[in-house]
Structure formats: C-alpha cells, structure tokens
C-alpha cells in the first residue's frame, strides 16, 4: 500500500485470494487489533466475460482513437499557431531594433557629412587634410 492509504494489500499469483492464506491473514490482523473478515474486503481480479460483441468493442476503441487523434491534431495546431505568433513577434522586435540602429547610423553619417561640408565651405573650397569622415559601425 502507498503512504497515507492506511490499508493492506496482499499480492498473489492468483486472481482470487487463495483460501489457504486466510487463516494466516486472520492471525496477522488479530495481532494489530483488526478482524480480517469485517475490516478487510476481498477483490476479484479475474477477467470477466465479454458482454459486448468484439465488433462493438472494436468500434468503441476506434472511436476513442479517432477522438484522441482529433485532440492531438487540435493540440498540434494550437502549438503551431502559438509558435507562428511568437516567431512573428520576435521578427518584429528584431526588425524594430535593426531599423533603430540603421537610423542611428544614418543620422551619424548625415551629421559627419554636414560637418565635413561646413569645413570645406569655411576653408574656401579647399579640402583640409586633417578632416576624416568615418561611418559609424552597425552593431
């Protein structure tokens, strides 16, 4: 028996508790203040006869398999939909971040270009050797 059950289980190879074991079980139950015949219930684990035709049982089984398969298909479709939605969300986040970085690089390049043009204008059209324009790196 499992913890918290509070009962007793006798395992045998037979489908019914053998009569030969009952006197020993009565004595064991008496030692712990139980009456075997009143406090314990015998079960019958024998295989019963089929009351339904094998064809009907096959049809029931096939119906259960079909229902189970339908539930599995529904679960797979739900997982697929969830994965697709998550994939789209991830792509949007990635693109949003990439666009932000590209915009930042463009703004930085535009700023450097304006600075360079200003220097060229201030130097009277002469390109100053110390001026360098570097494009920012995209991370």
């Amino acid at each position: 028996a499992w913890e918290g059950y509070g009962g007793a289980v006798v395992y045998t190879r037979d489908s019914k508790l053998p009569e030969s074991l009952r006197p020993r079980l009565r004595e064991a139950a008496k030692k712990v203040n139980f009456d075997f015949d009143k406090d314990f219930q015998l079960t019958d684990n024998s295989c019963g006869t089929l009351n339904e035709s094998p064809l009907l049982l096959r049809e029931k089984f096939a119906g259960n398999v079909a229902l189970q398969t339908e539930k599995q298909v529904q679960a797979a479709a739900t997982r697929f939909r969830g994965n697709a939605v998550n994939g789209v969300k991830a792509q949007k986040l990635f693109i949003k971040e990439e666009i932000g970085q590209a915009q930042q690089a463009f703004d930085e390049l535009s700023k450097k270009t304006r600075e360079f043009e200003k220097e060229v204008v201030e130097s009277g059209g002469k390109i100053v050797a110390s001026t360098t324009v570097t494009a920012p790196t995209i991370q």
Side-chain angles (χ1 to χ4, degrees):
W2 54 91
E3 186 178 330
Y5 172 68
V9 177
V10 176
Y11 293 100
T12 69
R13 294 177 189 258
D14 299 326
S15 60
K16 293 183 180 181
L17 183 67
E19 202 57 52
S20 61
L21 294 178
R22 292 184 188 191
R24 285 178 51 200
L25 294 172
R26 284 186 181 95
E27 286 300 315
K30 199 180 290 184
K31 288 180 184 178
V32 291
N33 298 323
F34 282 100
D35 183 338
F36 179 79
D37 295 310
K38 291 181 183 176
D39 297 326
F40 293 88
Q41 180 177 354
L42 300 177
T43 58
D44 182 3
N45 291 324
S46 60
C47 295
T49 57
L50 293 177
N51 294 331
E52 299 181 62
S53 74
L55 180 61
L56 182 61
L57 291 173
R58 284 189 197 108
E59 287 175 0
K60 285 183 178 179
F61 177 76
N64 288 338
V65 169
L67 287 175
Q68 190 64 25
T69 303
E70 181 182 350
K71 289 178 183 176
Q72 290 171 341
V73 168
Q74 288 173 345
T78 300
R79 279 193 309 274
F80 176 76
R81 183 191 66 207
N83 290 343
V85 168
N86 288 340
V88 169
K89 286 180 181 176
Q91 287 176 353
K92 283 182 179 179
L93 287 173
F94 177 76
I95 290 170
K96 183 179 179 183
E97 190 169 307
E98 290 294 314
I99 288 174
Q101 288 180 355
Q103 184 64 46
Q104 184 181 7
F106 177 77
D107 293 344
E108 185 68 24
L109 185 58
S110 296
K111 179 183 170 190
K112 294 285 185 182
T113 302
R114 284 191 299 276
E115 288 173 4
F116 177 73
E117 288 172 347
K118 183 179 176 186
E119 286 180 21
V120 169
V121 169
E122 288 176 355
S123 69
K126 298 179 187 170
I127 298 176
V128 180
S130 65
T131 303
T132 56
V133 177
T134 56
T137 58
I138 298 176
Q139 299 173 0

